């Protein structure tokens, strides 16, 4: 099963919006609504990262001779920027619950792994380990 079939950004966006709403509601009841807001920002940064990963993989693998070094450099740069943004928000808004950005990023990674691995595991369970050959054998 091609990984792009398992990666559903719209579904992840809906889940992230729902989680942000729940986090804002819960943190609002506790008197720290910005914790929920920053949690949502972390989820959004995670989704942005996932979309950038997909774009980079598509661009690099479309080349005649894709290089691992190019992908590694792209990943390192992207992760450095996303991490710097998240840490800057956490430090600047320390008193308002900015640390929740890091929690949002961490939760998004767990969501991403679950949302992409479950369809693949279902496909493997349905077809066995012969996932490349999905045609009927008549």
């Amino acid at each position: 099963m091609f990984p792009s079939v398992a990666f559903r950004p719209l579904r992840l966006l809906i889940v992230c919006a729902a989680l942000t709403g729940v986090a804002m509601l819960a943190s609002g009841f506790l008197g720290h609504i910005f914790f929920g807001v920053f949690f949502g920002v972390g989820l959004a940064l995670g989704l942005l990262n996932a979309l950038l990963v997909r774009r980079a993989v598509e661009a690099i693998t479309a080349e005649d001779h894709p290089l691992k070094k190019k992908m590694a450099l792209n990943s390192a740069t992207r992760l450095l920027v996303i991490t710097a943004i998240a840490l800057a928000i956490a430090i600047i808004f320390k008193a308002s619950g900015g640390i929740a950005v890091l929690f949002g990023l961490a939760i998004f990674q767990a969501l991403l792994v679950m949302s992409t691995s479950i369809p693949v595991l279902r496909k493997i369970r349905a077809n066995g380990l012969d996932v490349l050959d999905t045609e009927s054998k008549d």
Side-chain angles (χ1 to χ4, degrees):
M1 176 179 242
F2 191 68
S4 67
V5 174
F7 177 62
R8 305 279 173 110
L10 183 58
R11 183 181 294 169
L12 280 171
L13 176 64
I14 293 168
V15 170
C16 288
L19 283 175
T20 300
V22 169
M24 288 177 62
L25 189 63
S27 63
F29 279 129
L30 296 173
H32 301 286
I33 191 143
F34 283 110
F35 190 88
V37 171
F38 288 121
F39 181 80
V41 170
L43 291 172
L45 282 173
L47 183 58
L48 174 67
N49 182 43
L51 292 170
L52 291 173
V53 167
R54 182 174 70 173
R55 192 180 92 187
V57 168
E58 288 172 353
I60 291 172
T61 57
E63 297 174 0
D64 289 336
H65 302 288
L67 299 173
K68 290 180 187 177
K69 185 177 183 178
K70 191 172 185 178
M71 188 65 187
L73 182 61
N74 178 286
S75 294
T77 304
R78 188 185 62 259
L79 290 175
L80 177 68
V81 170
I82 296 283
T83 303
I85 291 169
L87 286 174
I89 291 170
I91 292 169
I92 292 169
F93 298 101
K94 178 174 45 175
S96 302
I99 191 79
V101 170
L102 301 176
F103 293 129
L105 273 172
I107 294 299
F108 180 82
Q109 292 306 313
L111 283 173
L112 182 64
V113 168
M114 287 188 304
S115 71
T116 55
S117 63
I118 290 172
V120 173
L121 291 173
R122 285 183 182 155
K123 184 75 168 178
I124 290 172
R125 186 177 296 148
N127 295 347
L129 292 178
D130 190 20
V131 293
L132 295 178
D133 184 22
T134 57
E135 298 176 340
S136 64
K137 298 180 181 176
D138 292 305

